[in-house]
Amino acid sequence: MKKTHASIILYVCSLIPIVANIIIFYVYRGPNIDIYFIIKTHGMLAALGIALALVSWYMKKRHLLFIFSLLGNGFFVVIAALLLLAMGISEP
């Protein structure tokens, strides 16, 4: 497999966690949801997406896809951090 094809596959794989986070965000709703599961899931998927974006950018320097993937996955890192902060503030 050529370096270009591997890079494109990794870029697509770095966008999959963004889609998965969006689906999880809308599927798991309500007052009786385990919020720590949501925080862990968002954090792990976003970290995986960022790692894949960095590897694919290192293989082939495509800045537009790298920035889009970094912003998308970074958004869910911020969401997870805010949820974790909210859970820390709400504990007695």
Side-chain angles (χ1 to χ4, degrees):
M1 183 179 289
K2 291 184 180 180
K3 194 175 183 180
T4 306
H5 295 306
S7 174
I8 291 171
I9 290 171
L10 284 174
Y11 272 124
V12 170
C13 288
S14 71
L15 296 176
I16 290 174
I18 296 172
V19 175
N21 274 328
I22 292 171
I23 291 171
I24 288 170
F25 184 76
Y26 284 113
V27 169
Y28 291 107
R29 300 174 83 174
N32 297 328
I33 293 297
D34 182 20
I35 195 70
Y36 291 110
F37 169 75
I38 301 296
I39 292 169
K40 289 176 190 175
T41 306
H42 280 316
M44 287 189 301
L45 284 174
L48 176 69
I50 289 171
L52 287 172
L54 287 171
V55 169
S56 63
W57 178 75
Y58 181 72
M59 290 177 70
K60 186 162 173 66
K61 309 284 192 216
R62 289 189 178 178
H63 298 295
L64 183 64
L65 292 173
F66 174 69
I67 291 171
F68 179 72
S69 179
L70 225 68
L71 287 176
N73 287 307
F75 174 74
F76 285 105
V77 168
V78 170
I79 293 289
L82 289 175
L83 284 172
L84 191 60
L85 178 69
M87 290 306 295
I89 291 172
S90 68
E91 292 294 321

